[in-house]
Amino acid sequence: MKKEKKTPTRRRTALRRTAAAFVMLLAMWLLNGGSILPTGVLRVQADVEGTGPVELVKALGRLPLKGRYRRVYLSANQDAVLLSAAALHLTMGWQESMGAGLDCSEEGPVHIARWAVTTRAPEGEREGYVYFFGRVDDPGIREVGVTYGRRDEAGELTIHGFEGSQLTSSREEWVRWGGYDYFVMSSPLDVERQQETAGDYYLCVDGYMVQPDLKVSQWTSTSLGD
């Protein structure tokens, strides 16, 4: 008796086509140097910065800028800290978009860097966001902070702050990894105000500005264009 051949159902046909399309998409991502997972960009940025292999310390979620979908990650090794942003492209997968690196190879109670990113919002106004990230090596430190100010020609420092206050991060918020404590602070960036005041960022430890006044000297600024 001849066995009847089963006719594929619409559901089964749709699943096969979806699976085939997914395989083709993954192949395109790999051929274009992309990553299947967003954390794959950590290796790419480590190669760009020349830090050697790094490991994920903390996922920081979405970059909070309108119309710009990117995910931000903090990673590190014994001598460096990286802040990385991953962008998803349909034909290229997850790509290393931008970020900043911090050298921690020298001894120091606190290592800190700044990454500022600006863009033109859909409404037309210029918007920005700033991250301060780093590592604390001194176990006696309970809090790190950053304040914003400007010195006049006489050397007098005027503190502008972040919306009238100091940006801080306490030990309870830090992430312990590899024998060190890591922190991230972030704030919306008033682009016009920053341009008008033309000041600097200063490190504060346990509520006091480091003496002599220590600027956040390692920094990176990124513009996402208009």
Side-chain angles (χ1 to χ4, degrees):
M1 184 175 179
K2 190 175 180 180
K3 189 176 181 180
E4 293 185 3
K5 188 176 181 179
K6 292 185 178 180
T7 303
T9 63
R10 290 183 178 179
R11 181 183 178 185
R12 188 178 300 171
T13 300
L15 288 174
R16 287 178 178 174
R17 290 176 178 175
T18 300
F22 183 68
V23 171
M24 289 180 62
L25 185 61
L26 291 182
M28 289 175 60
W29 288 4
L30 295 175
L31 289 173
N32 284 297
S35 300
I36 298 175
L37 298 176
T39 51
V41 305
L42 304 183
R43 175 185 55 79
V44 178
Q45 190 185 3
D47 290 342
V48 172
E49 299 284 348
T51 63
V54 295
E55 294 186 32
L56 178 66
V57 175
K58 185 177 182 179
L60 302 173
R62 180 175 179 174
L63 176 67
L65 291 177
K66 299 175 184 176
R68 302 287 180 173
Y69 186 80
R70 289 172 169 85
R71 302 192 67 83
V72 183
Y73 299 91
L74 185 73
S75 60
N77 58 30
Q78 294 298 310
D79 296 318
V81 186
L82 297 180
L83 197 66
S84 308
L88 178 61
H89 299 273
L90 180 60
T91 59
M92 296 185 294
W94 288 97
Q95 297 278 328
E96 188 272 334
S97 174
M98 54 197 168
L102 172 62
D103 181 9
C104 300
S105 58
E106 296 183 1
E107 293 185 4
V110 179
H111 305 273
I112 186 170
R114 168 173 62 97
W115 175 52
V117 56
T118 58
T119 188
R120 184 77 65 181
E123 295 80 3
E125 75 275 10
R126 195 77 176 168
E127 68 170 350
Y129 211 77
V130 61
Y131 287 93
F132 296 91
F133 65 99
R135 192 179 83 186
V136 179
D137 297 351
D138 186 346
I141 294 176
R142 308 305 304 174
E143 179 186 86
V144 294
V146 174
T147 193
Y148 178 73
R150 181 178 184 274
R151 288 195 182 278
D152 58 23
E153 295 180 356
E156 188 71 23
L157 178 63
T158 300
I159 299 298
H160 297 286
F162 295 86
E163 298 181 358
S165 63
Q166 178 180 306
L167 192 64
T168 60
S169 178
S170 60
R171 180 167 288 276
E172 291 75 19
E173 302 170 314
W174 301 345
V175 179
R176 187 74 176 175
W177 182 87
Y180 298 103
D181 294 299
Y182 295 85
F183 64 90
V184 179
M185 300 175 283
S186 58
S187 174
L189 183 63
D190 190 333
V191 179
E192 293 184 1
R193 184 187 183 197
Q194 295 284 302
Q195 292 175 343
E196 292 174 356
T197 55
D200 293 296
Y201 297 95
Y202 295 90
L203 173 65
C204 301
V205 175
D206 290 335
Y208 297 94
M209 290 183 65
V210 176
Q211 296 295 330
D213 299 339
L214 181 61
K215 298 179 183 178
V216 180
S217 57
Q218 294 197 51
W219 60 273
T220 302
S221 293
T222 303
S223 175
L224 299 182
D226 296 334

